């Protein structure tokens, strides 16, 4: 393999592909990026996979000699992005084991991983590909992704449930302390409905790729789901298992419904929340015409602020984890948020006023 | 063996951390402390530096005179705290009761966990090995029936020593040692005792009440003499409120199968949940401990993102932890323990997910 490429283009494409590499995976080649050069007529490809996630990234280069090589991602990136000349040449040693990078007077020899060790990447069946609106997709991901769980012992919760059906895109995520659900109107044609649990990391990578415009391609089979963004294909292993029946978790009725100005509430929660450290709860005390927001951490300090609220009825106090509450307030939309409450030990629901999003949050039991 | 108290002392701790962080310092005389160009003093010297006669509290300038090639490092206390935390997290998960008294030392109460001096020796060597394997730091242990004996014993065979003083041997162990090693005897008191003809701890232990009262006024005298005799009733206590709740049991016969171990873990998870509920607190991690017939100890912890207290959650996390331990080494096991740690006053409720 011998190719000539724009240094800037190569650096940018390498950085994209490297997102799917891992130095922690069980196989060494997972830390590498495979460069494939077929001919100058076809675009080349960079590919990387850590076995959970894989990326195929098209790249423009001039092919002097077709072939392929697997370069260690981090080292190749470090070299290429620090080069000062505009063009760079990559040449694989015919005997294998090395790639030589030449730029200006600089010559860099990199030890490579065996191409044969590189895992077979999932194929995408062009027949099954359909398109969804990019903005609708990324906006939906952003509303729920923070509620995914980091606890690997419950794999189902480490992903978000994705439902694509005619007219509607739904995503739901829960770490069992809160649950975020976003429904978005979809005008794209959906050939067959999809319901899949997608690893949070894959969704985050898709939104990272999807900064431009134009639709996102989607293709799913039993084990994999693939997203195509501007020619880049990201494939992720679907998480097996049954996602909780999230609609049934939303209480059917509430005792209180309180509308609060979103910006002001967010500010107060941020300020007072400074004093809710080490898992100390943020307390919301509802009483006639106001809500007081307070927090106290032993040996740190305490804070309290009050904002007017259209609340009537028996006063009560409910505690929340400040980060969970803040995520809900931040991801709801509109100038106002609506708190739906039952009692101090029952779930509360936060919604915005502008679109179809709800965020259920479990309280913290208050000791006094 | 009645009460069993061990003292843990990390070897040349600051210097050891510096070597861990900067492997190029390994094997060199390393001096952590102030600048040798100013009026700095030595905080810790590596054993290589101690070979040149360098010790704590010596002026850094003097240290450089004794060893011009020594590598001088300014202390980074944040770094040492992080390493100390790692050691103590491991120790707290491994022993029934631990009381950290300084960044590099503390007491462990092993009562019930070991039966004989030989047991204690094996137990502490295994713990020493785990600390080394998991944190890269070397520790010395002393063990006896009281804090004072344990503390003095831990200093006998540094570095990486384990000194166990059997019950009944306390006074014999202490008698030949210089008075100055007895906690509570500073340079002034030492001078006064020396002047009165006392050279060893044994000399102090042998004083009668009248002679003692002439040397030291008040209640301090009898207390010092008690310590010289190896008598020290101070208990090992948790600093502040309980940081963990745990139950453990040593079985008469070895538990032979993983299934039985898991059943015991489930039962213990219930006990722990009950004790936690009594305290109205939540926990953030569950630890499971197994001890094998050769005294090797395995502990595994499982954390949750938010505090919990219910028996189901404790059982779920405990099973995850015990399965990891059993995957590393199969039964038979001699001891099973389940505990919760990182306690907080609030309990985060969860959605009823399947």
């Amino acid at each position: 393999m011998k190719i000539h490429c724009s240094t800037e283009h190569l650096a940018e494409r390498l950085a994209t592909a490297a997102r799917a590499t891992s130095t922690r995976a069980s196989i060494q080649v997972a830390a590498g990026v495979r460069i494939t050069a077929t001919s100058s007529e076809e675009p080349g490809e960079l590919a990387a996979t850590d076995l959970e996630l894989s990326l195929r990234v098209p790249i423009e280069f001039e092919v002097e000699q077709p072939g392929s090589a697997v370069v260690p991602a981090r080292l190749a990136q470090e070299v290429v992005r620090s080069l000062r000349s505009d063009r760079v040449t990559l040449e694989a040693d015919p005997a294998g084991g090395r790639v030589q990078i030449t730029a200006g007077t600089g010559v860099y020899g990199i030890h490579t991983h065996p191409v044969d060790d590189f895992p077979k990447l999932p194929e995408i069946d062009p027949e099954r590909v359909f398109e969804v609106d990019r903005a609708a997709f990324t906006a939906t991901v952003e509303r729920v992704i923070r509620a995914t769980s980091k606890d690997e012992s419950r794999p189902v919760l480490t992903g978000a449930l994705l439902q694509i059906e005619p007219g509607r895109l739904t995503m739901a995520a829960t770490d069992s302390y809160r649950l975020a659900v976003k429904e978005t109107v979809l005008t794209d044609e959906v050939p067959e409905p999809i319901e899949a649990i997608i690893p949070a990391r894959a969704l985050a990578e898709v939104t990272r790729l999807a900064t431009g415009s134009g639709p996102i391609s989607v293709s799913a089979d039993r084990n994999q789901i693939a997203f195509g963004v501007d020619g880049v294909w990201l494939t992720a292993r679907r998480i097996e298992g049954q996602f909780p029946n999230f609609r049934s978790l939303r209480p059917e009725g509430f005792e209180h419904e309180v509308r609060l100005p979103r910006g002001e509430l967010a500010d107060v929660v941020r300020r007072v929340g400074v004093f809710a450290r080490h898992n100390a709860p943020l307390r919301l005390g509802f009483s006639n015409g106001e809500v007081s927001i307070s927090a106290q951490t032993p040996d740190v300090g305490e804070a309290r602020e009050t904002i007017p609220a259209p609340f009537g009825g028996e006063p009560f106090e409910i505690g929340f984890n400040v980060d969970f509450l803040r995520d809900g307030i931040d991801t709801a939309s509109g100038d106002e948020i609506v708190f739906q409450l039952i009692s101090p030990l029952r779930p509360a629901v936060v919604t915005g006023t502008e679109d179809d999003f709800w965020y259920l949050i479990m309280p913290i039991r208050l000791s006094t | 063996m009645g009460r069993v108290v061990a003292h843990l002392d990390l070897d040349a701790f600051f210097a050891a951390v510096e070597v861990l962080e900067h492997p190029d310092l390994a094997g060199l005389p390393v001096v952590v402390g102030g600048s040798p160009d100013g009026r700095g003093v030595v905080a810790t010297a590596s054993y290589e530096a101690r070979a040149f006669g360098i010790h704590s509290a010596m002026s850094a300038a003097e240290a450089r005179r004794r060893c011009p090639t020594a590598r001088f490092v300014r202390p980074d206390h944040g770094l040492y705290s992080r390493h100390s935390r790692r050691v103590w997290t491991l120790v707290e998960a491994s022993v029934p009761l631990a009381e950290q008294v300084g960044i590099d030392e503390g007491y462990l109460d092993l009562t019930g966990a070991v039966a004989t001096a030989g047991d204690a020796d094996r137990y502490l060597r295994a713990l020493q090995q785990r600390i080394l394997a998991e944190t890269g730091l070397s520790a010395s242990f002393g063990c006896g029936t009281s804090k004072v004996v344990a503390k003095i014993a831990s200093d006998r065979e540094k570095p990486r020593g384990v000194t166990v003083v059997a019950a009944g041997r306390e006074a014999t162990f202490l008698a030949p040692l210089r008075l100055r090693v007895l906690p509570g005897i500073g340079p002034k008191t030492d001078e006064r005792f020396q002047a009165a003809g006392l050279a060893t701890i044994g000399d102090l232990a042998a004083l009668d009440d009248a002679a003692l009262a002439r040397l030291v006024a008040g209640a301090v005298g009898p207390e010092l003499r008690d310590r010289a005799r190896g008598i020290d009733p101070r208990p090992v206590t948790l600093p502040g409120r309980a940081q963990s709740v745990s139950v453990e049991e040593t079985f008469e016969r070895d538990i032979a199968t993983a299934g039985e171990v898991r059943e015991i873990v489930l039962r213990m998870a219930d006990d722990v949940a009950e004790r936690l509920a009594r305290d109205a607190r939540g926990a953030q991690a569950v630890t499971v401990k197994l001890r094998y017939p050769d005294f090797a100890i395995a502990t595994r912890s499982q954390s949750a993102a938010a505090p919990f207290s219910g028996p189901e959650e404790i059982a779920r996390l405990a099973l995850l932890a015990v399965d990891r331990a059993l995957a590393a080494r199969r039964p038979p096991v001699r001891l099973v323990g389940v505990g919760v740690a990182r306690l907080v006053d609030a309990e985060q409720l969860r959605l009823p997910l399947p």
Side-chain angles (χ1 to χ4, degrees), chain A residues 8-39:
Chain A
E8 195 186 337
H9 182 56
L10 177 61
E12 182 264 320
R13 301 271 88 181
L14 266 177
T16 301
R19 306 280 316 172
T21 57
S22 165
T23 48
R24 286 184 302 165
S26 53
I27 54 169
Q28 212 190 2
V29 75
V33 170
R34 184 182 67 192
I35 306 169
T36 307
T38 319
S39 73

Side-chain angles (χ1 to χ4, degrees), chain A residues 223-237:
Chain A
N223 302 315
Q224 310 273 348
I225 187 156
F227 300 95
V229 184
D230 303 330
V232 175
W233 277 98
L234 178 147
T235 309
R237 181 187 48 78

Side-chain angles (χ1 to χ4, degrees), chain B:
Chain B
M1 203 163 175
R3 199 155 77 100
V4 185
V5 177
H7 180 252
L8 180 166
D9 201 358
L10 292 167
D11 299 322
F13 177 56
F14 294 4
V17 170
E18 291 297 344
V19 172
L20 262 188
E21 293 286 332
H22 310 284
D24 56 314
L25 294 176
L28 301 179
V30 176
V31 177
V32 179
S35 163
D37 297 319
R39 293 201 283 169
V41 295
V42 175
T44 306
S46 71
Y47 287 92
E48 289 82 352
R50 291 180 196 196
F52 291 89
I54 298 171
H55 55 77
S56 316
M58 171 184 279
S59 84
E62 170 63 16
R64 189 166 59 186
R65 264 193 296 284
R66 294 190 183 199
C67 178
T69 59
R71 301 283 287 271
F72 287 83
V73 183
R74 304 305 286 273
D76 178 350
H77 291 281
L79 180 69
Y80 307 147
S81 294
R82 286 197 296 280
H83 282 271
S84 169
R85 206 51 246 149
R86 290 181 61 200
V87 172
W88 283 98
T89 303
L90 169 66
V91 170
E92 282 162 9
S94 309
V95 307
L97 183 60
E99 177 190 1
Q100 184 177 359
V101 296
I103 194 164
D104 59 352
E105 62 166 316
Y107 293 97
L108 322 177
D109 193 330
L110 306 182
T111 310
V114 297
T116 65
D119 274 357
D121 189 84
R122 278 190 294 275
Y123 184 102
L124 292 171
R125 284 188 197 280
L127 181 58
Q128 183 183 52
Q129 205 47 48
R130 290 193 54 221
I131 292 172
L132 184 63
E134 295 193 35
T135 70
L137 291 165
S138 131
S140 291
F141 289 93
C143 183
T145 50
S146 64
K147 278 185 169 180
V148 68
V149 173
K151 164 110 177 149
I152 291 172
S154 73
D155 205 33
R156 297 324 294 164
E157 282 189 66
K158 276 183 140 303
R160 224 171 279 187
V162 173
T163 304
V164 178
V165 179
R169 304 275 306 158
E170 298 86 358
T172 322
F173 164 72
L174 294 173
L177 304 178
R178 287 181 302 113
L179 271 170
R180 189 74 172 77
V181 306
L182 195 68
I185 296 193
K188 285 266 167 60
T189 317
D190 190 30
E191 219 171 271
R192 197 157 66 236
F193 282 179
Q194 299 265 7
L198 306 182
T200 65
I201 296 181
D203 295 340
L204 172 60
L207 284 186
D208 62 62
D209 289 349
L212 186 66
R214 278 194 297 275
L215 278 169
V216 198
V220 183
E223 193 180 308
L224 277 179
R225 187 180 58 189
D226 272 354
R227 290 195 184 172
R229 293 169 175 173
I231 300 163
D232 179 3
R234 288 175 300 161
V236 178
T237 51
L238 283 170
R241 284 186 76 177
Q243 298 295 302
S244 62
V245 170
S246 64
V247 295
E248 63 178 62
E249 191 173 339
T250 305
F251 295 91
E252 300 258 332
R253 57 169 189 92
D254 292 347
I255 308 302
T257 68
E260 285 175 87
V261 175
R262 295 177 104 242
E263 260 171 48
I264 292 163
V265 164
L266 283 178
R267 171 165 62 73
M268 290 181 161
D270 272 352
D271 290 352
V272 169
E274 199 184 303
R275 288 177 53 186
L276 194 61
R278 233 181 280 154
D279 225 7
R281 301 179 80 193
Q284 297 174 88
V286 171
T287 300
V288 166
K289 172 168 148 187
L290 300 178
R291 197 176 76 207
Y292 294 89
D294 62 359
F295 279 88
I297 288 175
T299 58
R300 293 290 186 278
S301 291
Q302 199 72 41
S303 304
F308 54 85
S309 65
E312 301 86 11
E313 183 66 359
I314 293 172
R316 184 181 80 83
L317 295 169
L319 284 181
L320 286 168
V322 78
D323 285 346
R324 278 167 50 218
L326 292 172
R329 184 171 169 189
R330 296 149 58 91
V333 301
R334 174 67 57 85
L335 170 150
V336 178
V338 173
V340 289
R342 290 169 40 219
L343 302 190
V344 291
D345 283 326
E347 181 205 350
Q348 169 72 55
L349 304 180
R350 306 169 69 99
L351 279 162
L353 302 183

Side-chain angles (χ1 to χ4, degrees), chain A residues 140-155:
Chain A
T140 306
V141 170
E142 280 158 8
R143 305 291 282 281
V144 305
I145 195 161
R146 284 192 248 183
T148 53
S149 169
K150 313 254 177 316
D151 181 355
E152 298 291 337
S153 71
R154 282 191 184 177

Side-chain angles (χ1 to χ4, degrees), chain A residues 13 27 37 83 86 96 111 130 149 154 203-204 236 246 255 258 264 275 282 300 304 308 310 313 360-361:
Chain A
R13 301 271 88 181
I27 54 169
L83 295 175
D86 294 343
H111 290 256
F130 66 97
S149 169
R154 282 191 184 177
L203 291 172
F246 62 90
E255 290 294 314
V258 186
E264 189 181 352
F275 293 87
L282 188 81
V300 175
R304 174 187 296 275
L360 182 152
I361 173 170

